[in-house]
Structure formats: C-alpha cells, structure tokens
Amino acid sequence: MVVGEISQQRNLVIIGGGPGGYSTAIRGAQLGLSVTLIEKVDMGGICLNKGCIPSKTYTHAAKKRAESAHLQELGIGNGTAGFDLFKLQAYKDKVIGGLRAGVESLCKQNKIEVIRGKAGFLGPNKIGVENGHQFDIYEFEQAIIATGSYPIMPFPAPEKTKRILLSHEIFELDEIPEHLLVKGMDYIALEVASSYAALGAKVSVLFDSMADCVFDESILKELLRLFKRRKINVIKDIHLVSVNVTTDEIAVTFLDDKKGEDTIHGSHLFVTGKSKPNVEDLGINRIGIVLTNEGSIHVNGSLQTSIPSIYAIGDVTEGPLLAVKAIKQGKAAVETIAGLKPETDLTFMPVVAHTIPPFVSVGLTEQMARDFGMNVRTSQFPLGSNGYAAITGCKDGFIKVISDPETEIISGIHMIGEGAIEMSGSFVQLLEMAAKEEDVKFPLYAHPSCSEGLLEAVEGLIDQAIHAVPSKKKDLLKI
C-alpha cells in the first residue's frame, strides 16, 4: 500500500454516493461550496444499483403484464402477453446504467470532485481513503456521512444459499421462482409478492400480525382481498419456527395460532431483512461519534453528530430507511453548513408501495387517530365509481380521508389504486398545510381524472359525493 505523505486539504467531504450523498453534493455545489464526494463502488448507491430502481423496473413490467387482458378489450394484442426474463434484465441494466451515467455527469457539471475508494476517519477532521494499493489522507472542514445501510437476515438461517433472498438479491434471479415464499408485510415484501405473481410465479405470503401494519389497515385488507383474487396465498398470524433448505426446495415451518405447527414448501424464500447502518468500516468509534442503542448515528436537529464538524444523513441515522429521507436530510445538512436555516420535518413522510395496484398512506391512520383520542370521521370513495378508472380498467381500490368533524382539519389520506404514487405528493402538501375539507373541495379538478376521487372522498365526509351511494343519515343543511 502506498500512503500519501502529505494530508490534502478539502472543504466539504461527503462519504457515500447514493441518492442522499450525491443530492447533498449537488446542493452544496449550488451553494458555492467546494465539494468532494467519496464512493467506494458505484455512483447511485444501493438504491440505484440494487434496490429502488431495479425493484421498480420489475414492478413496472409486472403491471404491464397484468394489463394484458384490458389491452385485449381495447383491441390491442390477443390477451396473452408473453414474458422474457432476460430481456427484462437487460432493460433493467440499461435503465441503471443510464441513470448512473446521469449522476456522474451531473457531478462533473457541478464541478464536484469524485474520489473512488473506501473511506475511514483518522480523526475529527481527518479521513483516509483506500483504493487498491493507494491510500490518501484528507483534512476537511466539514464531513457528511451518507453511507446508507445493508440488509441482514432477521432470523437464524441455513448457510448461504440462492434459495433465500434478501431485498438486494431478489431482482438478480435468472429464473422466475416456481413457488416463491414471501416473509413479511412491509412495502418491499408486498411489492415482491405482487410483482412475481404477475410475472408468473406461484406466490405465498406469510406474516406475523396485522397489528404491525404501518399503513392504514383498510389498505392492507383491500390488498389482501386482491391477492386472494389473483390466487396469491396469504398465511397470517404465524410465528416462524424454522427454515430448512434442500437441493430442490425450501421448507418454512411455522406456528399458526389456530392450527398449530405447519410447514409450507417452496422453491425460494424472500425476506426483506433487517437493515443495519453501514458504519462498521468508517472508524467512527475511533473518534468517538455517539451511536444509538440500535447502532444508528445519533444526530441533533441540524443533522450534526456528537462531533460538530461531522454530519450524518439517511439510513445511518434513526428513523425510516427511505431515499426520500436521505435526500431531504442531505439538503438540510449542507444548507446548515452554508449558513442557512433549513427545517426538516418527517411527520408526513408517505408510505408508498408499487404493488398491483399501488398504494400510499400519508398522515394518521384511522386507528392511530382513535388511539390518540381524536374525534374522527372518515370517508372512503371507491375508484370503481370514478370515470377515468372505468376508462383505464383500473377500478380496484379507493381513496380514504380522515378528518376531525369539529375543526374539519384533514389528518390522514390513504389510497390504493392506479395513480396513488403520483397523487401522494398532493396528499403530503395538504397535510403539511393543515388543510381543511374546504381546501380540497374548493379547487377545480380535471374531468375525467383520478384526482376527482380525492374530491369525492372529501365530499363524502358530509355525504356530498356525487358518485357514491348516500349514507342513511344526511345533513342537508351543510353545503
């Protein structure tokens, strides 16, 4: 190893080139800072190369294949869409390659110095970067840790096998599983189950309890109803006992609260896994950065660690493990460094899943609102009553609104159905501005459009929805 003899001076050093890291770097450059970005593998991080982008490529393909029957109704095709996994993989690689090249180009155009190698702290203002036989030392004014996380198996499992897959491996398969077992009910597990079923696999979903649901329970109930219709086997309220792998199959033994011990056999098992902050090799213990009991980096409201010159963002910090969080925190951290006073509030971070159909949950669920002792009224507008949903053949799902009948302030919006992902930003904006029911009812909505469903869901709170069956009790005085 060749060690640099002289420490090189840098202004702002960012460790990690994922969505949080490169967004932070670009925002820093916009603010006039001299930015150095260190990435040891590929720009874009796990999200672009192994996670978000590959998974959404598969969910997009699955959705298109699921639409084949409707396309036949429109006179397109014969209703039996073929499927070539290798073409899908080639398309996925093309998308990843194009996006990665785009990130690299943006860094270059913003005059961001990109250093390849493995970074580790040598002191509170000093970092070493190892790249093959080369080892360079840099002294910095500020640093931002954006190294993300990685999945680990959440239960004792047999030795490494291609039959048990974590979130960064499931979309690398060179075959469609004959029978895919999916353990979990988080958004990743539900996306995997929905997508692989549409792509031709037999799928069984196993999860512990609906009480663990982080999105509105009505969403999960509707999704499970649709799973049943698509012949996705769902086994709920179970406790995992063991996982055994043979040459030909995998066997999952579990305890069912009603039936006792049982075993299900499949060709593959997908487990979302627990995520662990990617901090082991950073040398943070050497310099005394404080961690939480769970191993995350503790930060204050300005994203500073216990060492004021070092900040941390994204999956290495406490809270949801989502790219949107890392991007928001990264911009706030670098704006703080630049002398601005940004605010970061993750209260209304949407829970989103690209299932078939997709769903989004923003704000309080109905159960959460009731647990808080709030006055609650809800309205659920079925997309089957929406004109545009009838045109597109995407009539499954609904939009649900939760509000306080006294203040008329909306506290939660939840949607399952086509258009949910694109509308999620509007849901977040409404809750951020503490919108009242009138704030939704007053504007004009394009017709026909999915957005009219939101209007009718809010109108339904007081039985004014035009395309909904009236409730038994009407308050005709409210207009």
Side-chain angles (χ1 to χ4, degrees), residues 115-382:
I115 296 175
R116 301 288 181 172
K118 179 180 176 182
F121 288 99
L122 305 176
N125 288 93
K126 187 178 290 187
I127 197 167
V129 180
E130 179 183 353
N131 187 1
H133 297 294
Q134 182 71 28
F135 187 82
D136 295 309
I137 299 174
Y138 301 89
E139 291 188 22
F140 57 83
E141 295 178 24
Q142 284 95 18
I144 300 177
I145 301 172
T147 49
S149 63
Y150 62 95
I152 58 174
M153 197 64 66
F155 51 78
E159 293 184 8
K160 182 64 179 174
T161 170
K162 292 183 179 180
R163 293 193 179 277
I164 302 179
L165 303 156
L166 291 169
S167 57
H168 64 299
E169 301 167 323
I170 184 65
F171 299 109
E172 297 291 333
L173 282 176
D174 57 6
E175 62 179 341
I176 296 297
E178 181 181 345
H179 184 188
L180 177 63
L181 309 179
V182 176
K183 175 66 173 64
M185 59 172 292
D186 58 280
Y187 78 94
I188 300 176
L190 295 173
E191 284 182 355
V192 168
S194 179
S195 298
Y196 271 97
L199 294 176
K202 177 182 178 182
V203 176
S204 295
V205 180
L206 302 90
F207 63 84
D208 301 335
S209 170
M210 288 180 71
D212 298 328
C213 185
V214 297
F215 37 89
D216 196 84
E217 191 172 293
S218 60
I219 295 285
L220 182 61
K221 287 182 178 179
E222 174 69 1
L223 192 64
L224 296 183
R225 182 187 72 82
L226 295 173
F227 275 11
K228 184 177 181 180
R229 192 173 81 188
R230 295 178 180 127
K231 295 182 172 52
I232 298 175
N233 182 31
V234 176
I235 306 172
K236 55 187 179 180
D237 299 323
I238 61 100
H239 304 283
L240 189 69
V241 174
S242 65
V243 176
N244 296 294
V245 180
T246 66
T247 305
D248 301 320
E249 67 171 17
I250 189 162
V252 176
T253 301
F254 57 90
L255 281 175
D256 187 309
D257 291 340
K258 297 178 180 179
K259 301 178 182 178
E261 188 170 292
D262 198 359
T263 299
I264 186 170
H265 301 267
S267 60
H268 297 78
L269 170 65
F270 169 76
V271 186
T272 303
K274 295 181 179 180
S275 288
K276 191 171 182 179
N278 200 4
V279 298
E280 289 91 343
D281 298 329
L282 289 177
I284 58 177
N285 294 331
R286 184 185 303 123
I287 60 175
I289 289 180
V290 174
L291 302 179
T292 67
N293 293 334
E294 290 74 32
S296 300
I297 297 176
H298 177 71
V299 294
N300 63 18
S302 298
L303 288 312
Q304 284 176 303
T305 70
S306 53
I307 297 177
S309 61
I310 302 176
Y311 295 69
I313 66 167
D315 288 5
V316 296
T317 65
E318 298 175 88
L321 307 178
L322 296 170
V324 62
K325 168 194 159 190
I327 294 168
K328 187 70 172 179
Q329 287 183 327
K331 292 177 181 178
V334 79
E335 287 171 2
T336 299
I337 290 170
L340 304 180
K341 295 181 179 180
E343 292 186 16
T344 304
D345 187 345
L346 306 180
T347 302
F348 296 120
M349 182 179 299
V351 177
V352 171
H354 290 252
T355 45
I356 303 175
F359 70 80
V360 59
S361 191
V362 183
L364 296 181
T365 66
E366 181 178 352
Q367 190 59 52
M368 289 168 61
R370 296 190 187 283
D371 290 345
F372 288 147
M374 296 172 58
N375 292 324
V376 174
R377 67 177 170 194
T378 68
S379 171
Q380 193 164 298
F381 181 75

